[in-house]
Amino acid sequence: MAVQLVREWTAIQQFPAATQEKLVDLLSKLKNQNVNTLTILVMGKGGVGKSSTVNSIVGERVVTVSAFQSETPRPVIVSRSRSGFTLNIIDTPGLVEGGYVSDQVLETIKRFLLNKTIDVLLYVDRLDAYRVDNLDKQIVKAITDGFGKDIWQKSMVVLTHAQLSPPDLLSYEEFFSRRSESLLKCIRQGARISKMDAQNYAIPVALVENSGRCNKNEYDEKILPTGSPWIPTLVRTITEITLNGKKSILVDRKLIEGPNANDRGKLFIPVILAFQYFFVIKTIEKWINKDISRDTKSPWG
Ligand code: GDP
Ligand code: MG
């Protein structure tokens, strides 16, 4: 078994005092509920700001950030502890390669997670994207097939590049609500969450601005265009998901090797072929035979 290096979370002191205070408060809330370990999994497309978000949460540059795609193809776990509490954050490579969801990347992530328990999934995308397409749905579907639908009960959407000026006449709030609504709709479709079940899968959305040019308030906290400091809000949402009463996702062998929805579909292929043979081909044969017998009776034959 690989030795997992757990360092003291000293970088928490890098945060401005106001942020630190809120973070310590949230951590003690978790400890009061007997949560001593928290494992966060970060997934999404490449280049959306997954690694930057990991660095922002930990408060130091722990994983590599790159403007151009040269990501390490492997997941990385970063562990930090503070007064008996351990925070694990798992950064992963982008799930899309050459315009398709990469099964291979997903497989690597699953194997990396073997015997680990995911308490919270951060599904990362950018706020400043104007459309949601079929590829997004495919990513959600792949995550659902790989980890089970219930992972969405332990998930939140993180929208990076939050310091933007919305186009045209849209207010910031309106832009945010439209972007998150379309992404949430895409997640519900990709994960096959019905309208009736949507309440059971309420997925929170948080805004993030990883840039060093992020605006700050009078307490030196990084703030969103709305004026609210985003790091405490993000960590509070993570805490709420941790304590939401739904089960964390244990990645065991059964989950890794079990047939996913796609493979289960493949089991039906012989049945469909047999159906085609007996019903379609036999019917056509019958028609042809009928035609032949009619032909022989024809007066021109
Ligand atoms: P990943 O591929 O999803 O891990 O994305 P990275 O964290 O490596 O980020 C890709 C690029 O986007 C880098 O150049 C980052 O500096 C930049 N970036 C990430 N998050 C933000 C953000 O919130 N705002 C801005 N302006 N740039 C960001
Ligand atoms: Mg990365």
Side-chain angles (χ1 to χ4, degrees), residues 32 48 59 86 130 139 209 220 223 244 247 257 271 286:
N32 285 344
V48 293
T86 306
Y130 301 94
I139 300 170
E209 178 50 72
D220 206 33
I223 52 167
N244 74 359
K247 255 175 85 172
E257 281 158 10
V271 180
K286 234 185 265 166

Side-chain angles (χ1 to χ4, degrees), residues 178-233:
R178 283 205 202 171
R179 171 74 177 132
S180 39
E181 233 351 279
S182 64
L183 205 52
L184 288 174
K185 189 173 161 204
C186 162
I187 292 176
R188 287 194 292 267
Q189 288 175 347
R192 295 178 294 274
I193 297 167
S194 67
K195 276 222 169 73
M196 296 239 306
D197 224 9
Q199 236 177 6
N200 225 347
Y201 290 83
I203 300 169
V205 184
L207 291 165
V208 160
E209 178 50 72
N210 292 308
S211 164
R213 276 166 298 187
C214 183
N215 290 329
K216 292 177 176 174
N217 64 12
E218 53 185 318
Y219 307 108
D220 206 33
E221 295 178 290
K222 289 180 165 186
I223 52 167
L224 299 170
T226 57
S228 109
W230 63 264
I231 292 178
T233 309

